[in-house]
Amino acid sequence: MPRRRTTSSSSSTAPSAPPASSAPRNRTPQPVRVRRRSFGDFVKAFLAFVVLAGLVVGVPFALAVTAGWPFPGGAPSLDWLQREITVTTFLHILTVIVWLAWAQFTACVLVEVKAALSGVGVPGRVPGSGPSQLLARQLVAALLLVGATAASLTPGLSQLGQSLEGNQKPSVAAAQQTPGIFAQQQEQAAATANALAEQAGQAGQAAARADGGASAAHGDTKYYRIQPPEGRHHDSLWEVAERHLGDGRRYKEIFELNKDRVQPDGSRLSEASLIRPGWIMEMPGDARGGELVEMPDAAPNVSEQAQQQISDYAQTGDHAQGSGGGDAQVSLPEQRPAPTPANPATPANPVTPATPVPGTGQEHATPAASPAGDSFGLPEALLAAPLLAAGLLGALGRRRRQAMWQSALGAVGGRRGMEPPTPTGDAQDVQDALLVGADPEGVRLLDRSLRGLAASLTAESRPLPVVYAAWMSGNGDLHLQLAQPAGKPPAPWQQGQDQTFWMLARTDAEGYEEAETAAPYPGLVSLGTMDDSRLLLNLEAVPGIVSLGGTEADRAAVFASVAAELATNGWSDRMTITLVGFGDDLTPLAPNRIRHLDGFEDLFETMSAETRQRRGALGAAGHDSVLTGRTGPAQHTRWAPHLVLLAAQPSDDDALRLAELAADAGRLGIGYLVGTGGTDLPGAAWEMEITGEGRLLAPLLGLELDAQMLPAAQRRAVVELFTDADPGSGSDPEGGPGRPANAPPFLVDISEQGRPAVYARLVGSYEIIGLDTPDGERSALLHEALALLLLHREGVHPRVLSSALWPRGVTPDVRDALLERLRAWLGSDPDGTPRLGTDATGRLTLAKSVVSDLDVLRSLYYEATQGRGVGSRQVRGRLLTDALVLVRGPLLADRPEGRYRWLTHEIVDAQLPLLVADTGLALSEFHLEKNRAEKAIEALTAALRTAPADERLWHELLRATHSTGDPDRLRALAADLVARSGARGVPPRTEALLDELLPTWREGVSAAG
């Protein structure tokens, strides 16, 4: 049903108050009062029955008797066209016209009777029958005047001369409906939510007249029913206020009158932009316009069900309660009690976090700062942002690995180091904060849960519901807040506190496997925490603009957090983030996602073109929105979101242009977050404000969050980490002041005089030489703590250590006790210096007398390629041989399951294979210089055991084997290489090398196949 508009007068500025002596202008049109049936009503009904009987039955009977049936007795011949037109012929033609007019009128009567008996909707329009259908409507309505409530809903016979269009256009919420005569049929028709809302509007109209004197005493209560969408344009409180109150900014008054009140479909109004067709809105007393209806306290001529609905709705308002509407935050999901541990016994060393980071389920919390200053330098903004920290940490690791591989493949005529620059200062503090705050498990569960939901809905041939927000509760449950009810969620999802919440328990989320489906809600981004729950707003689904007020610095911190998480999150496939007015330094976080525009004109030009393109693409694909392109047969069409962050406040004209551009953005997968220094932004669907205390306020949404922010200093430090990881970013090529190029962070004295006091073998099985094995259950923790310190010779922050050992949090006394045991276990050097100390920043460091085989391996390779081995061939060969002998397998090969999870944040698993490959290549080159092919093959084969995927080793092995002059051996090696390549096939460069060294290699492969 198309959306109705008021007259131009109702949409203009509200008129000034009239003088007391004059009648009020623009008085709300009043529906006809509900009257008890009188003798005149019965007379009108009888006359209407006589007229209908005469027209519907009498006319065809008279025509059949006098003129005969209009149907010919046989097939007409062509000679009738040549006959003379007589009076009889004219009468026959006139008879046919009368028959057609009767058929049209009868069709109109049937349509009107059907609509009256069903009691739902506007009667269908019979083509070309305006006056006839109007007459049929008046007669049917007069006949039904003796029915339950028809008198209050039917125009008088005096309106017969008015146009049909004017009578079809409704004046209120469902005022055009004519309930049926039978109550059972009426109740069946009211089964749907829209029908219930229609009845509520009817009951309100009838009740508005039942007690006119009392109503006049306190002023009529006006109501409005939210209209269904016209095309893709949805009704909004802003537009309702603009039409009926003269100012769209007065939508807040409508929201305050109706928030948290139960609507006919059982849901509640919790956010000013989350309204649905059929909902009833109580309006301020000065509301004007033809779409309003006044509803007093009684409605005697409507069904008891409708009366009860109106009564219940009226009792939920402030005027009925005599107090505020309540502070219930219906947008915040109800919390389930935390599950009781299977073993209720209290452990000897509890690990209850002292300062948990809420909203992730598996909190990566660490204790609050102790007086000793062990939290020095770690920014709390990142410690309290587990999803953001996990995204940044994962992206940083990928960037460093990519840089190492690019450097390895591009190294020509020299060697490069495997170590990224060691961060210092703010960058080091931020890296530690990321390690402490990150919750990769929470990101993994969120991603699998959302993709699993999409896969389940696809299997059931159901579309994705529109999701406005997601809440990650303190006990690990995930709540999705839907824009409207979407039926029963697929298992294991459950319905939440009402029909607009779907909930997934953490235990059920852990059962999800990887799903091969597109990310359904890639626009979700963390805004902050509220009552131990973390809110993720779906920016691409908001129906319009989201505005953010506050000071420029505070807004920039929120914008930076949003941009950084969107650029690096783990629950999106693809995304475009456009930054306007800020963030030109954020591009290194994700160059393929982030782009920066200079001003609004560039933005408007870019987004206008993209909006048109997306509308056309959706239409061509036959989709209503981007959500339908992420499930089902069109799943390959990703419909990646485009999120615009506009930090610079637009002018009023620019804001209106932007609001027009964003009107249809929700279904196109485009979101807008716009900063403003004031309190109002024209066209903003949701309004938020960031305070100087870090609180994110959205009163109309019922939100007051501890905001997630990325202040300027931390933003610069994060960017520094990413730029330093890129070998082409301009970082110091010499590796820092006073340090040779490509030097490892810790060089071991590899002479006889440098024998360490404590030696740990990490490459292969974990063994420690020089220390007694600790007794008891704490042995595993001590070994893990020592391994972490050995892999970070630059120092480890105590909070990073405790977060690595206890990802779910730990109390200070347990952590401090472990550090004391670790100090006692490592002991002291002969001069009394503890082997576990602290540096100037408070980070834990190991003495030089504590060494690992990885330290020795790095030192040997460095000395062979950049130290003493450069000038002495004999020394280089010995050092490279000794280095390759140290390789006994992968890093910490026998580590127990469930421990050493912090290794997922490290890049040492990529560094070690590259280091071993470089060592094997250097030793192979050393032997081939003297034509010792067998020795070179032996070195390359040893390196391949640790780095089997390194293509460089295979190339050199092919060349060394070719140099032996044994074609059968080369052919066997080629066959082995092809078999290892599997379905992926031989890499192009390897295939080219085989073509050069063994042109017939394909024949051997075919024969083997």
Side-chain angles (χ1 to χ4, degrees), residues 27 30 33-34 205-221 294-298:
R27 178 63 177 161
Q30 309 296 336
R33 294 183 180 182
V34 178
Q205 293 180 28
R209 300 297 169 263
D211 191 5
S215 177
H218 56 74
D220 293 327
T221 301
E294 297 187 6
M295 301 166 64
D297 299 331

Side-chain angles (χ1 to χ4, degrees), residues 290-366:
E291 294 180 4
L292 300 176
V293 65
E294 297 187 6
M295 301 166 64
D297 299 331
N301 291 330
V302 297
S303 67
E304 294 182 1
Q305 183 182 19
Q307 291 186 40
Q308 187 63 42
Q309 291 174 4
I310 298 301
S311 175
D312 292 343
Y313 188 77
Q315 292 175 4
T316 62
D318 295 347
H319 62 277
Q321 297 177 358
S323 61
D327 296 328
Q329 305 296 335
V330 297
S331 59
L332 184 67
E334 294 177 353
Q335 302 297 306
R336 300 186 307 118
T340 304
N343 182 9
T346 303
N349 295 316
V351 293
T352 303
T355 56
V357 178
T360 64
Q362 180 169 342
E363 292 78 9
H364 285 248
T366 51

Side-chain angles (χ1 to χ4, degrees), residues 397-414:
R398 290 190 296 271
R399 182 69 56 82
R400 287 173 171 171
R401 286 180 171 86
Q402 182 182 13
M404 285 191 302
W405 280 107
Q406 289 177 346
S407 179
L409 296 177
V412 178

Side-chain angles (χ1 to χ4, degrees), residues 271 331-333 335 359 387 446-447 449-450 453 466-473 477-483 493 500-504 521 523-530 533-539 541 565 571 686 703 705:
E271 301 178 8
S331 59
L332 184 67
Q335 302 297 306
L387 304 184
L446 175 62
D447 181 45
S449 299
L450 295 178
L453 173 63
V466 177
V467 171
Y468 279 146
W471 293 89
M472 300 185 72
S473 63
D477 297 342
L478 175 62
H479 301 255
L480 297 183
Q481 187 167 358
L482 313 184
W493 290 79
T500 62
F501 276 94
W502 286 2
M503 189 272 291
L504 180 68
Y521 304 110
L524 287 169
V525 64
S526 304
L527 289 185
T529 56
M530 176 181 179
S533 292
R534 181 168 302 278
L535 170 66
L536 290 89
L537 182 66
N538 190 8
L539 285 179
E565 184 169 297
W571 54 90
W686 290 355
L703 298 177
L705 307 171

